[in-house]
Amino acid sequence: SSARTEVVIGFNAVMDQRQRLCPTLNNSNSNGCPIEANSNVSIQQSFTLPETSLPLGNIITRYSTLTADSEDWICITMAPVGYQNPTWKIVFTYVPAAITIFAALVSFFASFATVSEAEHDVFLFTSNYAMLPAALRLKSPGFFDLIYYAQFIVLSGQLNLNYPEFYQLFVSNFAWSFLLFPTQWLRNINASIFPYKPEQQVEDVMAVTLLDQQQNTSSVIVQGQGLAKFANAVDMDVNNLFLASFIFMLIILAGCLFLCFVIWMVVQILSWRAPHRYAAQTPKIINFTIGT
C-alpha cells in the first residue's frame, strides 16, 4: 500500500511525495496497519512547503492512496488556501505607500514653485485654487487620488464574490489606506466592547433559509464571507475594523489641529513684529483649520 501527497501552488506542482501508507494512518494499531473492518481511521500527514518565488497563489493539496492490489482507496482534495510570498508582501505594501508619500511631497513643493511670492499663503499651499493648468499636471494624481485608488482596491476585496483565496491577502496590503493597523491595545478595546461568547451561534446566510432565520432570531447571521476573509488577512477582528479606522482618524485629526495651532501661534508672534506682512495670514489659518 502507498500514499501520495501532491501540493500545487498556483499552476506549479511544488511537491509530489510518495510513501508507505501505514505510517500516515492513526488507529488502534501502533503502526497503523492492519486496518480492521468497521473501524475508525484518521490520516495524519504533515509536510514543509519548499521555497517559491511565486508572489501569490492558491495552495491545493491532494492526498490519494493505493491498496496492495493497486486499487484506489482514498482520494482527498483539500479546500484551497491562499498564499502570499513574504518578500512580495513587503513590495506590495511599501511601494504603493512610498509612491503616495512621494506624490504628497511633489504636490507640496509644486505649490511653492508655481505660486507667486506675493500669494504665498496656507490656503494656496493646500489646495488647487488658482493653479495654472501646467502647474496642475505636477499635482495630478495627488496624494488623495492615490489614497482613493488604494481604498477602491480594499473595497473590491470585501465584496462577497468568488475570488481566489489569495486575493484577500493581496488586498490586505492596502489596508493602510483605511488606517487599519492591527495593534494589541485596539484588540483589548474591541474585546471589552464585543466580548467573545463561545455559546453564541454563528450561521452563514448562504446556508440558512428565510424560514430558519425567522424562527431562530437569537443567532447571529453573517451575511457572506468577503469582509470576514479580509479581516482575517489583516489580522484583525471583523468587529474591530470600523473602530480601528475611526480611532486612527481621530489621532491624525488631533495631530493636524495641533499643527495648525502651532502655525497660528508662530504667525501671531511674527505679526507682532511685522504686522503689515503677517497680520492678514491669521484669518486664513483659522479658516483653513475650520475647513480641515
Side-chain angles (χ1 to χ4, degrees):
S1 301
S2 62
R4 179 183 182 184
T5 303
E6 301 174 85
V7 180
V8 178
I9 301 181
F11 300 99
N12 300 327
V14 297
M15 179 179 294
D16 190 355
Q17 180 180 349
R18 302 168 188 263
Q19 64 185 76
R20 294 177 59 246
L21 174 61
C22 294
T24 65
L25 301 180
N26 187 10
N27 55 13
S28 58
N29 296 321
S30 59
N31 60 352
C33 294
I35 301 174
E36 300 177 357
N38 300 324
S39 62
N40 295 326
V41 178
S42 61
I43 301 172
Q44 186 175 8
Q45 178 74 343
S46 62
F47 54 87
T48 302
L49 288 177
E51 295 184 0
T52 176
S53 60
L54 190 69
L56 297 160
N58 281 351
I59 301 177
I60 301 176
T61 304
R62 299 186 183 93
Y63 179 85
S64 59
T65 61
L66 294 176
T67 64
D69 299 328
S70 299
E71 296 180 356
D72 295 330
W73 181 48
I74 298 175
C75 184
I76 302 174
T77 300
M78 305 296 180
V81 178
Y83 167 79
Q84 180 175 219
N85 192 298
T87 303
W88 282 97
K89 177 180 175 61
I90 297 175
V91 174
F92 292 145
T93 302
Y94 291 102
V95 170
I99 294 175
T100 303
I101 296 174
F102 178 73
L105 295 176
V106 170
S107 299
F108 181 76
F109 288 111
S111 300
F112 276 100
T114 56
V115 178
S116 62
E117 181 67 25
E119 296 179 344
H120 274 178
D121 58 52
V122 178
F123 178 74
L124 292 179
F125 286 161
T126 55
S127 70
N128 294 336
Y129 178 76
M131 283 284 182
L132 297 175
L136 286 176
R137 289 185 297 177
L138 300 176
K139 302 183 67 173
S140 300
F143 172 76
F144 289 104
D145 296 324
L146 298 180
I147 290 290
Y148 297 150
Y149 299 156
Q151 289 179 344
F152 175 80
I153 296 175
V154 173
L155 290 176
S156 68
Q158 298 176 4
L159 299 176
N160 297 324
L161 299 178
N162 190 20
Y163 289 120
E165 296 299 322
F166 63 82
Y167 186 68
Q168 275 79 13
L169 295 175
F170 171 74
V171 167
S172 66
N173 300 321
F174 300 88
W176 53 265
S177 62
F178 275 105
L179 305 178
L180 296 176
F181 305 106
T183 55
Q184 185 59 42
W185 59 274
L186 275 177
R187 293 190 180 98
N188 297 335
I189 295 176
N190 179 72
S192 62
I193 299 176
F194 304 101
Y196 175 70
K197 299 179 180 179
E199 70 277 3
Q200 193 174 42
Q201 183 181 3
V202 179
E203 299 179 359
D204 191 343
V205 74
M206 302 301 293
V208 180
T209 64
L210 180 60
L211 179 61
D212 293 334
Q213 295 181 27
Q214 293 174 351
Q215 293 177 348
N216 189 9
T217 57
S218 61
S219 61
V220 178
I221 305 301
V222 181
Q223 297 186 356
Q225 300 178 352
L227 190 60
K229 289 182 178 180
F230 170 78
N232 291 333
V234 184
D235 193 21
M236 297 178 65
D237 188 270
V238 67
N239 295 318
N240 198 21
L241 295 178
F242 173 77
L243 182 64
S245 181
F246 183 69
I247 289 178
F248 280 111
M249 184 194 69
L250 292 180
I251 294 174
I252 293 177
L253 180 60
C256 292
L257 292 177
F258 177 76
L259 183 61
C260 291
F261 175 75
V262 172
I263 295 176
W264 178 79
M265 289 294 296
V266 172
V267 172
Q268 282 289 99
I269 295 174
L270 294 176
S271 63
W272 294 339
R273 292 189 173 185
H276 61 283
R277 184 173 184 180
Y278 295 102
Q281 300 294 335
T282 301
K284 295 181 180 179
I285 295 176
I286 296 176
N287 294 336
F288 171 74
T289 303
I290 297 174
T292 303

